[in-house]
Amino acid sequence: MAYSPLTEQLMEALQVLPGVGSRSAERMTLHLLERDREGGQMLSQALQRALDGVMHCARCRVLTEQAVCELCQNDDRDHSRLCVVETPQDREAIEVSGGYLGDYFVLQGHLSPIDGIGPDELGVPLLLERVKSGDIEEVILATNASMEGEATAHYLTEQLQPLKVVVSRIARGIPVGSEFGRIDSHSLSQALQDRKPLGFEHD
Ligand code: ZN
């Protein structure tokens, strides 16, 4: 069955979305054109406005309508510390935890040569430039504890070490309130490896 040329074009365009194949695109197209043209207008306008107005923050790479995002502009933050995360969601999770008041750098992914994602795609040159500018004393690598996250952290450590900056990796391990029996053995062994000495204060 053939659809009209513009209908076909819309079906094809929708397939740029991740996880949307020809069947889903067909369903979405027919829904918009047959059942919800108002919704379609809203979608089309929101998409165009976002494409025109949203860019990457020049300092942390998060999506923003400003050249530099609000968090990076906030002078109550400790701009000498930079926490490197994979995604804006990771940044949000750390923010919600309330335990960190420094700046962030969002890679928007991790190293994945198979998918063509290398240092340039992750903004590594911008990160190194920012560290070289001299205001940063510590870079905290908070990439995921997955294999790709570890590989990315390892690569960044190699790049950052010559720059006379403290490079640290977040400790991983046992979630607060959990029992040993319920933790996977990898997390448990990481927790043991990343142990910290308990400081007894002697006056
Ligand atoms: Zn920013």
Side-chain angles (χ1 to χ4, degrees):
M1 176 167 55
Y3 290 106
S4 77
L6 290 178
T7 311
E8 291 269 6
Q9 271 177 37
L10 179 54
M11 283 182 196
E12 223 158 275
L14 284 166
Q15 290 177 57
V16 301
L17 294 168
V20 175
S22 56
R23 293 293 287 272
S24 312
E26 183 182 27
R27 213 168 51 237
M28 289 174 184
T29 300
L30 295 179
H31 174 81
L32 291 173
L33 295 178
E34 300 277 13
R35 311 236 176 279
D36 195 1
R37 292 203 169 215
E38 204 181 315
Q41 284 288 355
M42 268 165 53
L43 175 65
S44 148
Q45 282 165 12
L47 180 61
Q48 194 58 56
R49 277 195 218 114
L51 289 173
D52 291 342
V54 179
M55 57 195 126
H56 285 116
C57 168
R59 286 169 65 83
C60 74
R61 293 185 90 232
V62 85
L63 294 174
T64 173
E65 272 95 291
Q66 297 151 295
V68 174
C69 78
E70 255 166 57
L71 200 150
C72 286
Q73 281 186 49
N74 184 349
D75 279 333
D76 292 336
R77 309 284 307 197
D78 175 1
H79 296 306
S80 72
R81 260 173 250 291
L82 191 62
C83 181
V84 180
V85 293
E86 290 186 27
T87 64
Q89 292 94 312
D90 295 345
R91 180 180 96 151
E92 197 50 36
I94 296 176
E95 275 299 281
V96 169
S97 80
Y100 177 73
L101 289 172
D103 282 354
Y104 293 93
F105 189 89
V106 184
L107 297 168
Q108 308 284 5
H110 47 238
L111 288 177
S112 179
I114 306 169
D115 303 311
I117 299 173
D120 285 352
E121 284 70 26
L122 300 180
V124 175
L126 178 66
L127 171 66
L128 298 178
E129 215 174 277
R130 201 169 153 196
V131 173
K132 276 182 204 159
S133 74
D135 304 334
I136 290 161
E137 289 162 20
E138 182 182 9
V139 178
I140 301 154
L141 300 174
T143 53
N144 288 324
S146 63
M147 225 159 71
E148 297 87 352
E150 293 293 352
T152 305
H154 183 77
Y155 173 80
L156 291 175
T157 306
E158 280 181 342
Q159 300 295 308
L160 289 163
Q161 248 154 13
L163 301 181
K164 288 185 183 146
V165 64
V166 177
V167 181
S168 54
R169 179 91 172 102
I170 49 162
R172 293 137 298 170
I174 302 169
V176 175
S178 56
E179 294 164 34
F180 269 23
R182 296 171 182 269
I183 301 162
D184 66 285
S185 53
H186 181 69
S187 301
L188 199 53
S189 84
Q190 278 293 350
L192 276 166
Q193 269 180 43
D194 296 346
R195 67 188 183 279
K196 279 187 218 159
L198 292 170
F200 288 99
E201 301 276 335
H202 299 286
D203 293 321

